[in-house]
Amino acid sequence: MKIGFVDDYLDNWHTNHYPFYIRLASGLYGISAETAYAYAWRDHPGEGISGDEWCKAQGIQRCNAYEELIEKSDAIMVMCADNCLVHEELAKKALMSGKPVYCDKTFAPTYEAAVRMFDLAEAYRTPVFSCSAQRFCMELLCFQSQIQENVKYCSSQGPGDMVNYSVHQFEMLETLMGVGAKRCMAQDINGLKQIVYEYEDDRTCFFHQGDKLPFRLFHGPTGWACRKLP
């Protein structure tokens, strides 16, 4: 499978690391996938390297046109993880391609934008998927047998801002606890964001977001288990 990256500019954390992760996953799961093509609107606006330099360093072919990337790629990854405000415009041609599309987190800035993107994909029969990578981290997968059955309490914590990084924790909590919370309380304590969810069956989960907090997940039926996440 030849994967094409689409981004605002190419020299950023996700595009710098994903080619390696894709190669690693290909080896672990016995599949044939590689990042083969890339297209970007512009070069890095700051001190990063240019798109041509990035492609040379990564051993990836740069496409001069979005349409060229769509034609050559078997699947398309719409990146720009740190600015979902441009995702709808950036993903538009990919969503009309009919080829599998992954749109990096956070998928869209508003519910209305997300609906338009999924509607466009449906109209062109384009499979589209988006998620936090934390939903599929190995540490979380170890908990799969306990999802929504034995887990009565769950608490997560993580770094970054609510706008861009909260998705990581929300997806982990939803994976373990499911949907259907009956009550939610949110508060900001000296910059530490905390959200408490209560469910009909007396289950509870907590969310903590702070600049210097590492990713951690606690859960248990009555006791505790902890995993430090990457």
Side-chain angles (χ1 to χ4, degrees):
M1 175 183 287
K2 304 290 187 180
I3 299 172
F5 278 4
V6 176
D7 212 325
D8 179 11
Y9 55 87
L10 290 169
D11 182 18
N12 58 73
W13 195 96
H14 281 223
T15 52
N16 289 339
H17 289 80
Y18 270 33
F20 167 76
Y21 293 151
I22 290 170
R23 289 195 299 271
L24 179 63
S26 295
L28 288 174
Y29 296 103
I31 60 177
S32 178
E34 63 172 325
T35 309
Y37 309 105
Y39 168 80
W41 279 341
R42 56 176 176 159
D43 286 334
H44 196 291
E47 298 179 357
I49 62 176
S50 70
D52 287 338
E53 291 171 320
W54 182 91
C55 286
K56 183 178 180 180
Q58 293 282 352
I60 293 171
Q61 179 183 337
R62 186 175 189 179
C63 296
N64 295 318
Y66 203 145
E67 292 79 6
E68 179 188 358
L69 179 135
I70 290 174
E71 180 181 354
K72 291 181 175 179
S73 301
D74 299 311
I76 301 164
M77 294 180 67
V78 178
M79 308 298 283
C80 203
D82 291 330
N83 183 14
C84 69
L85 295 177
V86 301
H87 270 184
E88 185 174 9
E89 182 180 359
L90 187 66
K92 184 175 181 179
K93 291 181 180 180
L95 296 176
M96 298 168 64
S97 70
K99 296 185 176 182
V101 173
Y102 168 77
C103 188
D104 209 346
K105 66 85 188 164
T106 302
F107 182 69
T110 65
Y111 171 80
E112 291 77 14
V115 169
R116 288 193 299 268
M117 292 169 72
F118 278 114
D119 284 349
L120 182 63
E122 184 177 2
Y124 285 86
R125 298 184 178 181
T126 299
V128 60
F129 175 71
S130 181
C131 77
S132 158
Q134 292 286 21
R135 177 181 283 266
F136 296 101
C137 66
M138 296 303 296
E139 293 82 357
L140 184 60
L141 293 178
C142 293
F143 302 157
Q144 292 299 305
S145 63
Q146 300 174 341
I147 292 176
Q148 299 180 50
E149 294 179 3
N150 300 319
V151 177
K152 301 300 182 184
Y153 171 88
C154 187
S155 177
S156 71
Q157 67 176 45
D161 59 90
M162 288 291 291
V163 172
N164 208 39
Y165 280 87
S166 59
V167 62
H168 293 309
Q169 292 192 69
F170 285 134
E171 290 207 27
M172 290 191 295
L173 292 173
E174 191 274 335
T175 297
L176 282 177
M177 304 292 286
V179 297
K182 65 178 181 180
R183 185 162 48 239
C184 170
M185 179 182 71
Q187 55 186 344
D188 186 329
I189 306 173
N190 297 324
L192 175 65
K193 312 299 191 297
Q194 177 176 284
I195 305 175
V196 183
Y197 292 99
E198 295 182 357
Y199 294 77
E200 292 285 355
D201 51 4
D202 295 325
R203 293 180 300 133
T204 305
C205 68
F206 290 82
F207 167 110
H208 303 87
Q209 188 101 27
D211 288 339
K212 297 182 180 181
L213 291 179
F215 279 116
R216 282 196 174 95
L217 185 66
F218 305 85
H219 81 98
T222 55
W224 288 80
C226 172
R227 294 291 186 277
K228 184 175 181 180
L229 305 174

